[in-house]
Amino acid sequence: MAALAATSSTSPSPPPVAIRQYDVLVSAGHEGRPASCPHFPKRRCNLGAAGERQWTPIVADETARALRASGLSVAREPADFDGFFDVKAAVFIHFDGSDHPCSTGASIGYHDSGSSAAAKLWRDLYSRYFPFRFMPDNFTGNLRDYYGFRQVHAARGALVIELGEISCPAQRQWLAPRLKLAADLIADSIRQLIAKK
Ligand SMILES: [Zn+2]
């Protein structure tokens, strides 16, 4: 008891939180919820659009696999994670859902203007394939103020990527057989972003 008391009196502040370094952070939207929600009580326990939670890990796993295959280090995270990351690029993978089916499409969210080049790169690449509409960047507050941005410093950009609106039958049907394609395109755009001078 005495030893314990002595130890705690000489360390008044908690140890600093380690910042983990990787080339890329890949997070699967809503993955791990609702189990993770009680640990992050300040966040809204948003479970995503119907079917979204089944698809985001598939895309995130393939994105991580493709990036690692090209020699990059990847932190593959679920929706909620502890601590802080210092990376070159970060991507939070989502699909949109709407109460008014087919009113939205693909979109991109980011918090700082330093990520706009990353957003343009992704939009230019994905819009060559995705045959539905692309919403304006940050068209909802949730995109711009995504909780994950606060835990990641990404030198080249951090993006929330909505790959399409899965409450829209036509978009869902197009996306279903193309989850691997979407992942490979995400990996491509990240490689280009990191290689950029
Ligand atoms: Zn989502």
Side-chain angles (χ1 to χ4, degrees):
M1 285 302 283
L4 260 179
T7 303
S8 60
S9 67
T10 54
S11 49
S13 52
V17 178
I19 296 175
R20 286 172 280 176
Q21 293 186 313
Y22 289 86
D23 292 317
V24 185
L25 179 137
V26 178
S27 161
H30 314 279
E31 185 189 30
R33 293 182 177 177
S36 61
C37 294
H39 303 290
F40 299 89
K42 286 183 180 162
R43 289 178 195 166
R44 202 159 57 89
C45 191
N46 180 346
L47 300 181
E52 184 181 2
R53 218 153 22 113
Q54 284 71 53
W55 280 7
T56 59
I58 296 170
V59 178
D61 284 347
E62 170 61 17
T63 303
R65 188 206 62 75
L67 289 169
R68 284 174 182 143
S70 44
L72 296 169
S73 61
V74 179
R76 165 66 179 87
E77 297 294 319
D80 300 304
F81 49 86
D82 284 308
F84 296 90
F85 287 86
D86 187 8
V87 296
K88 293 172 181 158
V91 62
F92 302 90
I93 294 165
H94 285 260
F95 296 86
D96 210 357
S98 175
D99 294 337
H100 307 284
C102 306
S103 62
T104 72
S107 60
I108 307 170
Y110 47 92
H111 192 72
D112 57 292
S113 56
S115 295
S116 59
K120 184 179 184 321
L121 223 162
W122 169 243
R123 175 192 286 263
D124 288 351
L125 181 61
Y126 193 47
S127 57
R128 273 188 245 155
Y129 296 82
F130 186 68
F132 304 93
R133 78 167 91 175
F134 232 109
M135 306 305 284
D137 290 0
N138 289 322
F139 85 108
T140 66
N142 279 342
L143 285 172
R144 189 183 56 243
D145 300 323
Y146 194 70
Y147 57 86
F149 291 144
R150 290 188 282 274
Q151 287 171 266
V152 180
H153 171 258
R156 294 294 178 101
L159 302 179
V160 171
I161 285 177
E162 304 267 9
L163 289 165
E165 192 212 299
I166 58 173
S167 45
C168 178
Q171 293 188 40
R172 188 187 184 95
Q173 208 171 34
W174 185 86
L175 285 161
R178 292 181 177 83
L179 299 181
K180 185 175 180 298
L181 169 72
D184 291 342
L185 293 174
I186 294 170
D188 266 359
S189 75
I190 289 174
R191 276 190 220 102
Q192 287 179 42
L193 183 70
I194 289 176
K196 251 176 133 179
K197 286 269 156 54

